[in-house]
Amino acid sequence: MTPPERHPSTDPREWLNRARSNLAQAGSRLPGVYLEDLCFDAQQAAEKAIKGMLISRNIEFPYVHDLARLLLILESHGERIPSDLRRAGRLTPYAVATRYPGPGVPVSEAQYLEALEIAETVVNWAEELLRGTGSDR
Protein backbone atom coordinates (compact mmCIF):
# COMPACT_ATOMS: atom_id res chain seq x y z
CA MET A 1 0.00 0.00 0.00
CA THR A 2 1.27 3.44 -0.91
CA PRO A 3 1.58 5.88 1.99
CA PRO A 4 -0.45 9.09 1.74
CA GLU A 5 1.05 12.20 0.21
CA ARG A 6 3.01 14.15 2.83
CA HIS A 7 2.23 17.78 3.55
CA PRO A 8 3.88 20.43 5.77
CA SER A 9 3.00 20.30 9.47
CA THR A 10 1.06 23.54 9.04
CA ASP A 11 -1.30 21.87 6.57
CA PRO A 12 -4.47 20.35 8.07
CA ARG A 13 -4.28 17.56 5.50
CA GLU A 14 -1.13 16.24 7.17
CA TRP A 15 -2.83 16.24 10.56
CA LEU A 16 -5.70 14.25 9.01
CA ASN A 17 -3.21 11.85 7.40
CA ARG A 18 -1.69 11.23 10.83
CA ALA A 19 -5.17 10.90 12.37
CA ARG A 20 -6.08 8.27 9.77
CA SER A 21 -2.79 6.46 10.47
CA ASN A 22 -3.51 6.34 14.20
CA LEU A 23 -7.06 5.22 13.48
CA ALA A 24 -5.79 2.38 11.28
CA GLN A 25 -3.46 1.28 14.07
CA ALA A 26 -6.27 1.52 16.62
CA GLY A 27 -8.37 -0.86 14.56
CA SER A 28 -5.56 -3.28 13.77
CA ARG A 29 -6.15 -5.84 16.55
CA LEU A 30 -2.78 -7.47 15.93
CA PRO A 31 -1.99 -10.45 18.17
CA GLY A 32 -0.16 -9.50 21.34
CA VAL A 33 -1.19 -5.83 21.32
CA TYR A 34 -2.79 -4.49 24.50
CA LEU A 35 -6.20 -2.86 24.19
CA GLU A 36 -4.72 0.06 26.14
CA ASP A 37 -2.29 0.69 23.29
CA LEU A 38 -5.08 0.56 20.73
CA CYS A 39 -7.07 3.03 22.82
CA PHE A 40 -4.01 5.31 22.91
CA ASP A 41 -4.01 5.28 19.11
CA ALA A 42 -7.76 5.99 19.07
CA GLN A 43 -7.17 9.00 21.34
CA GLN A 44 -4.31 10.20 19.14
CA ALA A 45 -6.47 9.88 16.02
CA ALA A 46 -9.17 12.08 17.55
CA GLU A 47 -6.64 14.57 18.92
CA LYS A 48 -4.89 15.01 15.58
CA ALA A 49 -8.19 15.37 13.75
CA ILE A 50 -9.32 18.11 16.14
CA LYS A 51 -5.95 19.87 15.91
CA GLY A 52 -6.19 19.66 12.12
CA MET A 53 -9.52 21.46 12.38
CA LEU A 54 -7.96 24.12 14.60
CA ILE A 55 -5.14 24.62 12.10
CA SER A 56 -7.64 24.87 9.22
CA ARG A 57 -9.38 27.68 11.11
CA ASN A 58 -6.08 29.45 11.95
CA ILE A 59 -6.67 28.93 15.66
CA GLU A 60 -3.66 28.57 17.91
CA PHE A 61 -3.92 25.72 20.37
CA PRO A 62 -1.97 24.37 23.31
CA TYR A 63 -0.17 21.07 22.86
CA VAL A 64 -2.37 19.19 25.31
CA HIS A 65 -4.18 15.86 25.14
CA ASP A 66 -7.45 17.11 26.68
CA LEU A 67 -9.93 16.59 23.85
CA ALA A 68 -12.82 18.34 25.60
CA ARG A 69 -10.62 21.42 26.05
CA LEU A 70 -9.56 21.38 22.39
CA LEU A 71 -13.20 21.13 21.28
CA LEU A 72 -14.10 24.05 23.56
CA ILE A 73 -11.39 26.15 21.91
CA LEU A 74 -12.79 25.29 18.50
CA GLU A 75 -16.32 26.05 19.66
CA SER A 76 -15.26 29.38 21.20
CA HIS A 77 -14.14 30.42 17.71
CA GLY A 78 -17.57 29.76 16.21
CA GLU A 79 -17.34 26.12 15.14
CA ARG A 80 -20.49 24.13 15.86
CA ILE A 81 -19.60 20.95 17.74
CA PRO A 82 -22.16 18.15 17.26
CA SER A 83 -23.33 16.64 20.53
CA ASP A 84 -22.00 13.17 19.70
CA LEU A 85 -18.51 14.65 19.24
CA ARG A 86 -18.45 15.78 22.86
CA ARG A 87 -17.94 12.11 23.76
CA ALA A 88 -14.35 12.61 22.55
CA GLY A 89 -13.50 13.77 26.07
CA ARG A 90 -13.84 10.13 27.14
CA LEU A 91 -10.68 9.37 25.17
CA THR A 92 -8.48 11.81 27.09
CA PRO A 93 -7.43 9.34 29.83
CA TYR A 94 -6.00 7.04 27.15
CA ALA A 95 -3.42 9.68 26.24
CA VAL A 96 -1.40 9.08 29.39
CA ALA A 97 -3.05 7.03 32.14
CA THR A 98 -3.19 3.75 30.23
CA ARG A 99 -0.10 4.27 28.09
CA TYR A 100 2.36 2.96 30.65
CA PRO A 101 2.32 0.01 33.04
CA GLY A 102 0.65 1.02 36.27
CA PRO A 103 -1.95 0.32 38.86
CA GLY A 104 -4.92 0.95 36.54
CA VAL A 105 -7.47 -1.63 35.51
CA PRO A 106 -6.93 -3.07 32.02
CA VAL A 107 -9.16 -1.72 29.26
CA SER A 108 -12.17 -3.93 28.52
CA GLU A 109 -13.34 -5.01 25.09
CA ALA A 110 -16.38 -2.72 25.45
CA GLN A 111 -14.19 0.27 26.35
CA TYR A 112 -11.93 -0.43 23.39
CA LEU A 113 -14.85 -0.66 20.96
CA GLU A 114 -16.29 2.59 22.33
CA ALA A 115 -12.92 4.34 21.97
CA LEU A 116 -12.58 3.15 18.39
CA GLU A 117 -16.11 4.27 17.52
CA ILE A 118 -15.58 7.71 19.06
CA ALA A 119 -12.29 8.18 17.23
CA GLU A 120 -13.88 7.17 13.92
CA THR A 121 -16.67 9.69 14.52
CA VAL A 122 -14.20 12.52 15.21
CA VAL A 123 -11.95 11.73 12.24
CA ASN A 124 -14.92 11.41 9.86
CA TRP A 125 -16.35 14.72 11.13
CA ALA A 126 -13.06 16.52 10.59
CA GLU A 127 -12.58 15.02 7.13
CA GLU A 128 -16.07 16.06 6.09
CA LEU A 129 -15.61 19.63 7.31
CA LEU A 130 -12.16 19.98 5.80
CA ARG A 131 -13.42 18.73 2.43
CA GLY A 132 -16.26 21.23 2.59
CA THR A 133 -14.05 24.24 3.35
CA GLY A 134 -11.59 23.90 0.52
CA SER A 135 -8.69 23.23 2.83
CA ASP A 136 -7.13 20.99 0.20
CA ARG A 137 -4.97 23.96 -0.67
Side-chain angles (χ1 to χ4, degrees):
M1 184 197 287
T2 306
E5 178 186 355
R6 297 276 183 158
H7 303 282
S9 63
T10 55
D11 188 325
R13 293 176 298 175
E14 186 61 18
W15 287 79
L16 262 291
N17 284 346
R18 297 297 295 268
R20 282 188 219 100
S21 176
N22 282 116
L23 190 57
Q25 289 181 134
S28 69
R29 295 304 297 260
L30 295 173
V33 177
Y34 286 121
L35 293 180
E36 289 83 359
D37 294 336
L38 299 177
C39 288
F40 169 75
D41 278 314
Q43 187 281 337
Q44 286 292 288
E47 181 178 329
K48 290 170 186 169
I50 294 167
K51 288 179 176 177
M53 284 296 302
L54 288 159
I55 288 168
S56 76
R57 305 303 194 247
N58 295 311
I59 301 169
E60 288 189 34
F61 57 86
Y63 278 80
V64 297
H65 303 296
D66 185 339
L67 302 186
R69 180 175 172 195
L70 293 170
L71 286 173
L72 281 173
I73 292 169
L74 197 53
E75 187 174 45
S76 74
H77 284 83
E79 191 67 51
R80 189 182 88 61
I81 307 300
S83 60
D84 64 331
L85 235 65
R86 296 189 189 283
R87 298 179 311 137
R90 294 183 196 171
L91 300 179
T92 296
Y94 299 128
V96 179
T98 62
R99 193 165 61 170
Y100 303 106
V105 175
V107 169
S108 71
E109 180 74 14
Q111 289 170 313
Y112 161 70
L113 292 173
E114 178 189 44
L116 186 60
E117 190 272 323
I118 291 170
E120 288 171 344
T121 299
V122 174
V123 171
N124 291 338
W125 167 79
E127 286 178 326
E128 185 176 310
L129 282 179
L130 290 175
R131 264 196 307 269
T133 60
S135 65
D136 53 340
R137 298 178 188 194

